Amino acid sequence: MRKHNIFRYLWLAICPIAILSSCTKFADSYYEDPNRPSKASGTQLIANAQMYLSSVSSSAYGVHYPQYLSLTTYTDNTRFIATNLNFSTWYIGPLMNLESVLQNEKELNANEGPVANQIAVAKILKAFFLWHVTDRWGDIPMSEAFKGIDLPNPKYDRQEDIYNALFILLDEANNSVVSANGNIKNDIIYKGNMAQWKKLGNSIHMLMALRLSKVNPEKGKAEFIKAMNAGIMTSNNDNLSYPHLAEAANENFWYNSFTVQKRNWYALSEVLVNHMLPYNDPRLSVYGDKNSSGSYAGLEFGKLVPNPDVDIPKISLFGSTIRKQDSPVHLITYPQLLFAQAEAAKLGWISGGDGQAKTFYEDAIKQSIAQWTGGTSNVATYLANADITYDANKAIEQIATQRWIHLFPYGYEGWAEWRRTGFPNLTVASDINGGQVPRREGYPTQEASNNKINYEAAVKAFPYGGTDGLNTRVWWDKP
Amino acid sequence: MNQRTQGGLSSIGFYNIEASIDRPIAESYKSEEQTRSAYIMTSLGYKDTYFVDGSFRRDISSTLPKDNNAYNYSSISGSFVFSNLIESPVLNFGKLRASYAVAGSSVPPYSSLMNYEIGTVYKGATGSINTLFVPDVLNNPALKPSFANSFEIGTDLKFFKSRLGLDFTYYQQRNKDQVIGLSSSVATGYSSFRVNAGDIENSGIELSLTAIPVQTSNFSWTTTLNGAKNNSKIHELIPGIDAYQLDNNTYSSQTVYLYANKGAAFGSLVGPGYKRDEATGKILLDNANLPIQELNKDFGSVIPEFTGGFINSFRYKNIDFNAMIDFQSGGKFFSWSKMLAVKSGQAAETAALNSNGKNVRDPLADGGGFEINGISEATGQEVNAFIDARTYFRNQIGTRIYEEWLYDASYIKLREVSLGYTFNQDQLGKTPFKSIRIAAIARNPWMIWQKAPKGIDPSELSAGSANISWIEKGELQTVRSYGFNLSVKF
């Protein structure tokens, strides 16, 4: 009898289950996230990637490798305490946005400008960001990167292969730009002007080519000439500069540091001021502020015991005119291209020899002063300094030193060019990083667990040996 | 819905979103989900000796992918009071119990949909530029429901008219397809993947022994000893990934991670430590005689070997006395506050005397400095040298050598003591009260023994965002409290 009862109840329960098994449909609204869009505009993804441009320069680490800035208060970053830095910002930030554009070409909307031009801009920016990443870390994931869970362990590509792939990417971008009615929408940098994008792509291409001067000058020369002939920047109006705004959401990093967070941490380094002050460099008053006695002075680099209360009144803090809320951040600039051509002429990559090199060198300095100060009236006086006047016997050093001054405060670029040329002479105390100026940044420590096999293979394959840290050379930095 | 001003207010004292100087932040968030369930359960008993419970459930969830949104799960448990079948002067109660249960669960709303995120707006001179970005977490259109399969077997025994009791349980839980955020190589374009992690096991034993050694009309003593041991293990994550990051902590660009790696002990600490000489195990020194850092060193597991408690209660006439002891054996933890105390020069060792009888902070030229012993990496020779204390404590071990700040969490602690007096009905007479108990209580009165240095409390560690304790980062110190307790029954 008892058993019988149970079955009766069981049936009562099983009935609704039988009914339910056919009810697996829900309203469509459950399959649409009301908080986030499922379709993207290509130019809006590109615009978001552009927002990362200023961080390529505005970095609390990069500014210290070429010793542009010293620290007044917490000096760890000038003592290179952090040996391994994370490249996640670039991979999951701008590069993934650009990949999303490139992988979904068919879904791009031509109402936002020719699809070919959207793709070309995405390629140019992808090349720029990957160039930045490879110059910092060396061999990095590229060919197997950005594939999500389909390829959870992307291998590290050799830097040489990355350079070659980026040259091709930039060629493709240069060749595919459509000029007629070509403007694209949502462009923070050039307001849609494709002629300027095209010049930027070729300018990046040319500067990348110069990086090969030590390791593969033949290839470097060929790519250099190809890019130059394809059309590079022709004035400071073409510069790749990130236009910050006078609002909290898009403000300058240094404004945030000094004015919002009230951190008077960053001062011109002693070595920088020593290369500018004796020659009345007109850029010095822009780069730094006067100290309490009305003159310019650099701060010792990498102090063991900081003493901000005593030091700050004596030295030049990072210049207040370039750390306003909307101060732009300069990346690829016309003067840097002129310096590159000066060097190429001196190296014999392009014709003209010393005469041509001198012309480019003087024009580069003039355009640099124009970019930073807005005028050129004091250029002639500056060029007349004996050490500044072009000297064929130490032309490479002069060009490199002037480029180093010009690139301030774009530390990662200044550092790359220092690593390549060795000028100006930079040293650190013996208790900082074993007495060595860093030559590379270590891989993110997560990679040793998340991507173990490929990480270990990359470390083992360092082109000139060494361990994963600050003192190993990347491929183009041939000893 | 969330709105706020940005960049300040345009008019003092005018509190309105429209008074925002910059573009105000305006966000709305909506989340909807629906689950349809059917459930049956049954509970059967026979002769008060055999018991069986069973249940079955079917869920249909709107958050799962459309074509795979229904799942079933069930449970069964049984117990057997075998003491009913035997007559024993020793054993007066004996029960065997076993259960097997599957618990299914769905996924968070929209986590199987691929979407973009709204980015910052750029308010340019020629109009606003809206931006979008690819999310950092990769959603998964192939998500499946997850199932926790748990098996438990145990026994409850009572001997000598319940004067002695023993409870024992063994449990094993295997989580199949558990939905986790699996941190990935950022080179994939994402910081983590939402995945069904293959097979994660959690198993252990729990043991409890209760005894009443003395029981007279005036005096009784009850004692309980319990212990537990838990093991977790990852059998399978997803193909190609063997490391599951449970948590991490970054300070001054140095990161310590808590990992659960496939096949290895759960909860291993990984971080920057000393580079050591392979032959002697001594630390290697650079040209300035400073320790050399090696990254990604495995510091061992944070999981304790066992934990437990020991509780004793004594009663003499109306007076009762209770004491509760907690203990733990093994398990590592990282002490961030100890590291910072050394880094900032507040720990005693940063102002200790060295073998010259000088304060380590004194200049090297005056015989000060920290005395370091190790092997020079460059020459391979043993080095004994004095180095600048600030460089050593602040820039080296206080920043870059996490190995120095790992401690064993073993401890024995007197958690609570109370002494009480109960007024019974006879004493209370005609008052409306049935009984009144007044007691003095001390909580956390005594850390009897701990392996970690004084000043760090291993019994109050933090779990961060993980679900196991592994880090000590200046938690509010445990408070020793004394109090009185009055309980009145009517």
Side-chain angles (χ1 to χ4, degrees):
Chain A
M1 278 304 284
R2 210 180 200 178
K3 236 177 176 180
H4 201 75
N5 279 339
I6 292 162
F7 277 113
R8 214 177 265 171
Y9 287 122
L10 263 178
W11 282 116
L12 275 175
I14 285 167
C15 282
I17 289 176
I19 297 164
L20 256 177
S21 35
S22 58
C23 291
T24 57
K25 282 210 174 85
F26 293 94
D28 283 347
S29 65
Y30 289 104
Y31 302 100
E32 274 166 37
D33 189 339
N35 313 301
R36 308 188 300 171
S38 60
K39 290 258 186 319
S41 133
T43 56
Q44 288 189 15
L45 285 169
I46 292 171
N48 196 276
Q50 291 175 350
M51 286 180 159
Y52 287 86
L53 281 169
S54 57
S55 333
V56 172
S57 166
S58 302
S59 154
Y61 295 94
V63 288
H64 303 302
Y65 298 126
Q67 303 186 9
Y68 284 144
L69 297 175
S70 294
L71 285 164
T72 60
T73 309
Y74 296 101
T75 57
D76 281 4
N77 286 1
T78 50
R79 300 183 61 83
F80 312 125
I81 296 295
T83 56
N84 289 59
L85 288 102
N86 204 333
F87 49 48
S88 64
T89 313
W90 312 108
Y91 279 92
I92 66 179
L95 284 166
M96 194 58 215
N97 290 339
L98 297 166
E99 278 303 316
S100 180
V101 174
L102 295 171
Q103 289 172 13
N104 298 300
E105 184 173 347
K106 283 178 189 149
E107 286 165 36
L108 296 179
N109 185 347
N111 290 332
E112 298 173 5
V115 169
N117 287 354
Q118 295 182 41
I119 293 288
V121 169
K123 283 180 177 173
I124 291 166
L125 286 169
K126 177 184 174 178
F128 179 71
F129 284 116
L130 275 176
W131 179 36
H132 172 68
V133 177
T134 188
D135 279 0
R136 287 172 63 181
W137 285 277
D139 298 355
I140 50 161
M142 180 188 70
S143 60
E144 295 186 353
F146 314 113
K147 303 278 196 292
I149 201 164
D150 295 334
L151 270 176
N153 299 297
K155 70 163 187 181
Y156 285 63
D157 294 287
R158 292 165 57 228
Q159 188 176 54
E160 181 174 13
D161 297 336
I162 292 166
Y163 263 72
N164 289 337
L166 298 185
F167 288 142
I168 293 170
L169 198 67
L170 290 165
D171 282 340
E172 288 170 7
N174 176 57
N175 294 335
S176 61
V177 169
V178 179
S179 318
N181 298 317
N183 280 16
I184 60 162
K185 283 192 177 163
N186 295 322
D187 177 8
I188 296 172
I189 304 300
Y190 291 125
K191 300 182 174 63
N193 184 333
M194 285 310 297
Q196 286 184 306
W197 276 108
K198 195 168 163 157
K199 288 182 194 172
L200 173 66
N202 295 324
S203 302
I204 292 168
H205 195 150
M206 193 176 98
L207 294 174
M208 284 183 69
L210 188 59
R211 281 283 207 282
L212 308 189
S213 66
K214 272 199 290 184
V215 72
N216 190 351
E218 294 78 24
K219 172 82 173 166
K221 180 182 171 184
E223 294 291 335
F224 190 95
I225 293 168
K226 181 171 71 178
M228 192 175 72
N229 291 340
I232 57 168
M233 293 173 178
T234 50
S235 79
N236 277 324
N237 293 331
D238 292 334
N239 288 354
L240 172 64
S241 301
Y242 188 81
H244 282 291
L245 299 175
E247 59 163 26
N250 286 291
E251 70 194 7
N252 183 294
F253 173 87
W254 304 108
Y255 172 83
N256 181 276
S257 196
F258 277 87
T259 310
V260 179
Q261 304 195 56
K262 314 261 184 260
R263 292 175 168 176
N264 285 333
W265 288 4
Y266 299 91
L268 300 190
S269 71
E270 223 163 18
V271 60
L272 181 72
V273 173
N274 288 347
H275 274 100
M276 299 179 82
L277 188 62
Y279 312 108
N280 277 320
D281 194 317
R283 292 164 291 195
L284 184 55
S285 60
V286 177
Y287 289 3
D289 289 345
K290 285 180 179 159
N291 61 16
S292 60
S293 49
S295 54
Y296 294 95
L299 174 64
E300 178 191 338
F301 186 80
K303 286 185 91 167
L304 173 62
V305 185
N307 199 352
D309 294 343
V310 172
D311 288 341
I312 290 174
K314 291 188 193 163
I315 49 83
S316 295
L317 289 173
F318 188 82
S320 47
T321 56
I322 50 172
R323 55 173 161 90
K324 290 186 288 201
Q325 196 172 17
D326 59 352
S327 293
V329 170
H330 303 297
L331 299 165
I332 306 293
T333 55
Y334 178 53
Q336 193 189 354
L337 295 166
L338 294 168
F339 283 120
Q341 289 172 98
E343 188 179 339
K346 179 69 190 172
L347 291 172
W349 286 13
I350 59 175
S351 61
D354 277 316
Q356 190 63 55
K358 178 174 189 284
T359 308
F360 277 127
Y361 169 79
E362 289 177 350
D363 198 21
I365 291 172
K366 180 179 160 192
Q367 294 300 333
S368 172
I369 291 171
Q371 177 198 307
W372 284 113
T373 67
T376 54
S377 55
N378 36 24
V379 170
T381 324
Y382 177 68
L383 284 173
N385 279 300
D387 288 342
I388 308 297
T389 306
Y390 185 85
D391 177 349
N393 294 321
K394 47 174 189 173
I396 296 291
E397 178 176 356
Q398 284 183 317
I399 295 165
T401 305
Q402 278 299 321
R403 173 169 45 212
W404 173 77
I405 293 170
H406 166 71
L407 286 172
F408 174 95
Y410 183 7
Y412 281 114
E413 185 63 13
W415 178 43
E417 290 293 55
W418 173 82
R419 284 182 283 164
R420 186 176 65 81
T421 62
F423 298 114
N425 182 33
L426 301 175
T427 54
V428 290
S430 67
D431 65 348
I432 297 177
N433 188 37
Q436 298 181 70
V437 177
R439 301 201 83 91
R440 179 187 165 269
E441 287 178 336
Y443 290 129
T445 48
Q446 294 88 327
E447 285 285 300
S449 299
N450 289 336
N451 197 6
K452 192 174 173 29
I453 293 168
N454 294 310
Y455 164 80
E456 285 169 358
V459 172
K460 216 174 158 188
F462 280 147
Y464 311 108
T467 52
D468 182 21
L470 296 173
N471 300 327
T472 300
R473 287 165 183 260
V474 303
W475 165 73
W476 54 249
D477 186 14
K478 195 175 155 186
Chain B
M1 195 86 138
N2 168 26
Q3 292 190 334
R4 58 186 188 274
T5 61
Q6 228 186 350
L9 294 169
S10 57
S11 174
I12 294 166
F14 177 53
Y15 298 101
N16 193 295
I17 297 297
E18 285 191 289
S20 179
I21 287 177
D22 299 335
R23 191 184 206 265
I25 288 173
E27 299 162 329
S28 61
Y29 187 82
K30 187 177 124 183
S31 170
E32 271 188 299
E33 63 181 301
Q34 204 185 91
T35 309
R36 296 173 191 151
S37 301
Y39 182 64
I40 51 173
M41 69 167 279
T42 178
S43 201
L44 303 174
Y46 181 66
K47 285 189 172 172
D48 285 342
T49 301
Y50 305 95
F51 300 91
V52 177
D53 289 14
S55 73
F56 175 83
R57 180 168 168 159
R58 178 175 176 80
D59 281 0
I60 302 169
S61 165
S62 69
T63 62
L64 285 163
K66 269 181 194 170
D67 50 357
N68 185 17
N69 62 3
Y71 52 100
N72 307 322
Y73 51 99
S74 51
S75 73
I76 185 155
S77 64
S79 59
F80 167 38
V81 184
F82 60 85
S83 54
N84 289 355
L85 303 184
I86 42 176
E87 284 292 327
S88 163
V90 178
L91 180 79
N92 59 302
F93 180 79
K95 181 167 137 181
L96 208 60
R97 52 193 157 74
S99 69
Y100 185 78
V102 182
S105 45
S106 184
V107 302
Y110 315 122
S111 55
S112 63
L113 305 175
M114 308 297 269
N115 286 303
Y116 295 91
E117 297 265 9
I118 306 284
T120 316
V121 176
Y122 185 90
K123 216 174 70 189
T126 52
S128 288
I129 295 176
N130 292 76
T131 69
L132 286 173
F133 64 94
V134 178
D136 300 347
V137 178
L138 177 63
N139 275 352
N140 189 339
L143 278 185
K144 297 178 284 193
S146 53
F147 296 98
N149 305 303
S150 49
F151 168 69
E152 192 179 307
I153 186 164
T155 182
D156 303 336
L157 305 172
K158 287 194 168 74
F159 304 93
F160 309 116
K161 297 176 181 165
S162 299
R163 292 277 291 269
L164 182 66
L166 175 76
D167 290 356
F168 172 81
T169 305
Y170 168 80
Y171 60 90
Q172 187 196 52
Q173 178 165 324
R174 290 187 89 139
N175 292 312
K176 299 273 173 71
D177 292 333
Q178 187 182 344
V179 177
I180 58 168
L182 184 61
S183 63
S184 53
S185 164
V186 293
T188 60
Y190 300 91
S191 60
S192 65
F193 303 147
R194 212 185 281 276
V195 296
N196 288 110
D199 183 357
I200 300 175
E201 179 184 326
N202 195 19
S203 64
I205 53 171
E206 285 167 3
L207 185 72
S208 170
L209 196 67
T210 308
I212 310 174
V214 185
Q215 189 169 42
T216 69
S217 57
N218 279 339
F219 182 71
S220 72
W221 169 30
T222 310
T223 179
T224 304
L225 178 69
N226 55 54
K229 178 174 172 56
N230 182 279
N231 286 315
S232 298
K233 195 172 175 183
I234 293 197
H235 293 283
E236 188 70 52
L237 283 167
I238 60 164
I241 296 188
D242 294 341
Y244 174 28
Q245 196 190 110
L246 300 170
D247 204 2
N248 70 71
N249 189 66
T250 300
Y251 185 72
S252 199
S253 313
Q254 310 293 319
T255 305
V256 58
Y257 301 95
L258 185 66
Y259 277 112
N261 291 331
K262 185 177 161 185
F266 212 78
S268 56
L269 272 173
V270 172
Y274 289 111
K275 187 169 185 183
R276 290 179 185 275
D277 178 54
E278 278 181 23
T280 59
K282 288 194 168 189
I283 61 171
L284 288 173
L285 304 177
D286 69 9
N287 293 337
N289 292 329
L290 294 170
I292 299 174
Q293 182 193 44
E294 184 176 317
L295 294 166
N296 296 312
K297 290 194 79 171
D298 192 339
F299 297 143
S301 174
V302 301
I303 305 291
E305 281 151 28
F306 60 84
T307 58
F310 184 43
I311 303 164
N312 281 290
S313 303
F314 302 91
R315 188 186 56 76
Y316 176 70
K317 292 187 175 168
N318 292 11
I319 302 165
D320 60 87
F321 175 78
N322 306 284
M324 203 164 89
I325 289 170
D326 282 356
F327 55 85
Q328 168 172 336
S329 170
K332 292 217 162 117
F333 69 97
F334 164 62
S335 176
W336 197 25
S337 55
K338 177 71 184 175
M339 182 177 88
L340 292 189
V342 169
K343 182 183 168 89
S344 59
Q346 295 181 60
E349 54 263 48
T350 64
L353 296 183
N354 64 16
S355 61
N356 294 334
K358 298 280 180 146
N359 192 312
V360 294
R361 298 186 183 207
D362 289 346
L364 291 175
D366 303 348
F370 177 84
E371 188 174 7
I372 196 162
N373 179 274
I375 289 182
S376 160
E377 192 183 42
T379 66
Q381 298 299 307
E382 184 164 343
V383 174
N384 206 67
F386 288 90
I387 51 175
D388 179 70
R390 185 185 163 103
T391 316
Y392 175 71
F393 287 117
R394 182 184 160 77
N395 294 343
Q396 292 296 322
I397 64 166
T399 303
R400 310 179 68 206
I401 308 289
Y402 280 40
E403 189 176 340
E404 191 72 37
W405 320 113
L406 297 171
Y407 300 101
D408 187 313
S410 301
Y411 69 88
I412 303 171
K413 179 179 185 171
L414 183 58
R415 179 76 70 179
E416 189 176 304
V417 185
S418 70
L419 181 65
Y421 185 88
T422 308
F423 297 92
N424 57 25
Q425 258 172 321
D426 297 345
Q427 291 161 302
L428 295 168
K430 285 180 185 152
T431 60
F433 309 115
K434 264 190 187 163
S435 79
I436 297 178
R437 178 173 180 267
I438 180 161
I441 298 175
R443 291 199 179 86
N444 300 314
W446 186 24
M447 179 62 88
I448 302 167
W449 174 81
Q450 69 175 51
K451 210 160 181 181
K454 207 167 177 252
I456 304 169
D457 187 346
S459 68
E460 301 288 340
L461 299 177
S462 159
S465 63
N467 55 8
I468 40 181
S469 304
W470 67 282
I471 187 169
E472 185 275 335
K473 44 180 177 181
E475 280 75 19
L476 194 63
Q477 285 290 304
T478 31
V479 179
R480 179 177 303 158
S481 65
Y482 303 98
F484 283 95
N485 179 303
L486 177 69
S487 57
V488 181
K489 284 185 187 153
F490 298 94

mmCIF file of all heavy atoms in Angstrom, chain B residues 316-331:
data_model
loop_
_atom_site.group_PDB
_atom_site.id
_atom_site.type_symbol
_atom_site.label_atom_id
_atom_site.label_comp_id
_atom_site.label_asym_id
_atom_site.label_seq_id
_atom_site.Cartn_x
_atom_site.Cartn_y
_atom_site.Cartn_z
ATOM 1 N N TYR B 316 30.991 22.940 38.070
ATOM 2 C CA TYR B 316 30.964 22.521 39.472
ATOM 3 C C TYR B 316 29.809 23.248 40.129
ATOM 4 O O TYR B 316 29.806 24.487 40.219
ATOM 5 C CB TYR B 316 32.285 22.865 40.166
ATOM 6 C CG TYR B 316 32.256 22.526 41.634
ATOM 7 C CD1 TYR B 316 32.257 21.183 42.047
ATOM 8 C CD2 TYR B 316 32.200 23.526 42.593
ATOM 9 C CE1 TYR B 316 32.212 20.871 43.382
ATOM 10 C CE2 TYR B 316 32.149 23.211 43.927
ATOM 11 C CZ TYR B 316 32.144 21.877 44.331
ATOM 12 O OH TYR B 316 32.068 21.568 45.653
ATOM 13 N N LYS B 317 28.820 22.442 40.552
ATOM 14 C CA LYS B 317 27.596 23.025 41.085
ATOM 15 C C LYS B 317 27.071 24.106 40.144
ATOM 16 O O LYS B 317 26.785 23.834 38.984
ATOM 17 C CB LYS B 317 27.812 23.550 42.499
ATOM 18 C CG LYS B 317 28.049 22.391 43.456
ATOM 19 C CD LYS B 317 28.101 22.837 44.904
ATOM 20 C CE LYS B 317 28.213 21.617 45.801
ATOM 21 N NZ LYS B 317 28.539 21.945 47.182
ATOM 22 N N ASN B 318 27.013 25.345 40.579
ATOM 23 C CA ASN B 318 26.442 26.394 39.727
ATOM 24 C C ASN B 318 27.495 27.119 38.874
ATOM 25 O O ASN B 318 27.183 28.006 38.107
ATOM 26 C CB ASN B 318 25.722 27.443 40.568
ATOM 27 C CG ASN B 318 24.490 26.861 41.210
ATOM 28 O OD1 ASN B 318 24.297 25.647 41.194
ATOM 29 N ND2 ASN B 318 23.653 27.715 41.764
ATOM 30 N N ILE B 319 28.728 26.730 39.072
ATOM 31 C CA ILE B 319 29.803 27.442 38.378
ATOM 32 C C ILE B 319 30.216 26.653 37.142
ATOM 33 O O ILE B 319 30.362 25.429 37.214
ATOM 34 C CB ILE B 319 31.018 27.616 39.304
ATOM 35 C CG1 ILE B 319 30.601 28.361 40.562
ATOM 36 C CG2 ILE B 319 32.162 28.336 38.609
ATOM 37 C CD1 ILE B 319 31.597 28.276 41.681
ATOM 38 N N ASP B 320 30.361 27.351 36.007
ATOM 39 C CA ASP B 320 30.880 26.661 34.820
ATOM 40 C C ASP B 320 32.064 27.415 34.251
ATOM 41 O O ASP B 320 32.175 28.638 34.388
ATOM 42 C CB ASP B 320 29.784 26.501 33.762
ATOM 43 C CG ASP B 320 29.230 27.815 33.303
ATOM 44 O OD1 ASP B 320 29.810 28.398 32.374
ATOM 45 O OD2 ASP B 320 28.207 28.294 33.890
ATOM 46 N N PHE B 321 32.974 26.636 33.620
ATOM 47 C CA PHE B 321 34.188 27.218 33.034
ATOM 48 C C PHE B 321 34.389 26.581 31.666
ATOM 49 O O PHE B 321 34.318 25.371 31.522
ATOM 50 C CB PHE B 321 35.384 26.918 33.942
ATOM 51 C CG PHE B 321 36.680 27.372 33.377
ATOM 52 C CD1 PHE B 321 37.033 28.708 33.426
ATOM 53 C CD2 PHE B 321 37.571 26.473 32.768
ATOM 54 C CE1 PHE B 321 38.240 29.141 32.896
ATOM 55 C CE2 PHE B 321 38.772 26.908 32.231
ATOM 56 C CZ PHE B 321 39.101 28.246 32.307
ATOM 57 N N ASN B 322 34.571 27.420 30.656
ATOM 58 C CA ASN B 322 34.722 26.907 29.290
ATOM 59 C C ASN B 322 35.970 27.504 28.650
ATOM 60 O O ASN B 322 36.253 28.691 28.830
ATOM 61 C CB ASN B 322 33.531 27.313 28.418
ATOM 62 C CG ASN B 322 32.227 26.891 29.049
ATOM 63 O OD1 ASN B 322 31.860 25.723 29.028
ATOM 64 N ND2 ASN B 322 31.545 27.848 29.681
ATOM 65 N N ALA B 323 36.675 26.670 27.895
ATOM 66 C CA ALA B 323 37.865 27.171 27.181
ATOM 67 C C ALA B 323 37.881 26.573 25.788
ATOM 68 O O ALA B 323 37.604 25.394 25.599
ATOM 69 C CB ALA B 323 39.126 26.774 27.935
ATOM 70 N N MET B 324 38.176 27.432 24.817
ATOM 71 C CA MET B 324 38.160 27.007 23.426
ATOM 72 C C MET B 324 39.517 27.302 22.795
ATOM 73 O O MET B 324 39.985 28.442 22.817
ATOM 74 C CB MET B 324 37.073 27.807 22.700
ATOM 75 C CG MET B 324 36.554 27.158 21.481
ATOM 76 S SD MET B 324 35.001 27.968 21.049
ATOM 77 C CE MET B 324 35.590 29.264 20.028
ATOM 78 N N ILE B 325 40.129 26.267 22.253
ATOM 79 C CA ILE B 325 41.443 26.428 21.622
ATOM 80 C C ILE B 325 41.317 26.113 20.135
ATOM 81 O O ILE B 325 40.642 25.153 19.762
ATOM 82 C CB ILE B 325 42.471 25.486 22.292
ATOM 83 C CG1 ILE B 325 42.794 25.989 23.702
ATOM 84 C CG2 ILE B 325 43.745 25.360 21.462
ATOM 85 C CD1 ILE B 325 43.597 25.019 24.518
ATOM 86 N N ASP B 326 41.942 26.936 19.286
ATOM 87 C CA ASP B 326 42.014 26.675 17.841
ATOM 88 C C ASP B 326 43.440 26.340 17.484
ATOM 89 O O ASP B 326 44.366 26.895 18.077
ATOM 90 C CB ASP B 326 41.663 27.945 17.040
ATOM 91 C CG ASP B 326 40.175 28.182 16.999
ATOM 92 O OD1 ASP B 326 39.440 27.339 17.515
ATOM 93 O OD2 ASP B 326 39.777 29.229 16.451
ATOM 94 N N PHE B 327 43.610 25.501 16.509
ATOM 95 C CA PHE B 327 44.982 25.274 16.057
ATOM 96 C C PHE B 327 45.032 24.995 14.567
ATOM 97 O O PHE B 327 44.031 24.634 13.949
ATOM 98 C CB PHE B 327 45.644 24.132 16.846
ATOM 99 C CG PHE B 327 44.881 22.840 16.832
ATOM 100 C CD1 PHE B 327 45.042 21.944 15.791
ATOM 101 C CD2 PHE B 327 44.008 22.522 17.868
ATOM 102 C CE1 PHE B 327 44.343 20.745 15.789
ATOM 103 C CE2 PHE B 327 43.302 21.323 17.857
ATOM 104 C CZ PHE B 327 43.462 20.429 16.808
ATOM 105 N N GLN B 328 46.199 25.205 14.021
ATOM 106 C CA GLN B 328 46.434 24.956 12.597
ATOM 107 C C GLN B 328 47.868 24.519 12.428
ATOM 108 O O GLN B 328 48.775 25.053 13.068
ATOM 109 C CB GLN B 328 46.189 26.239 11.786
ATOM 110 C CG GLN B 328 46.682 26.143 10.354
ATOM 111 C CD GLN B 328 46.272 27.322 9.495
ATOM 112 O OE1 GLN B 328 45.286 28.000 9.775
ATOM 113 N NE2 GLN B 328 47.040 27.578 8.449
ATOM 114 N N SER B 329 48.087 23.565 11.552
ATOM 115 C CA SER B 329 49.449 23.135 11.272
ATOM 116 C C SER B 329 49.745 23.351 9.793
ATOM 117 O O SER B 329 49.011 22.880 8.934
ATOM 118 C CB SER B 329 49.609 21.664 11.624
ATOM 119 O OG SER B 329 50.853 21.202 11.150
ATOM 120 N N GLY B 330 50.811 24.075 9.533
ATOM 121 C CA GLY B 330 51.284 24.247 8.163
ATOM 122 C C GLY B 330 50.507 25.301 7.391
ATOM 123 O O GLY B 330 49.575 25.928 7.894
ATOM 124 N N GLY B 331 50.905 25.479 6.137
ATOM 125 C CA GLY B 331 50.295 26.509 5.310
ATOM 126 C C GLY B 331 51.154 27.756 5.335
ATOM 127 O O GLY B 331 51.441 28.290 6.390
#
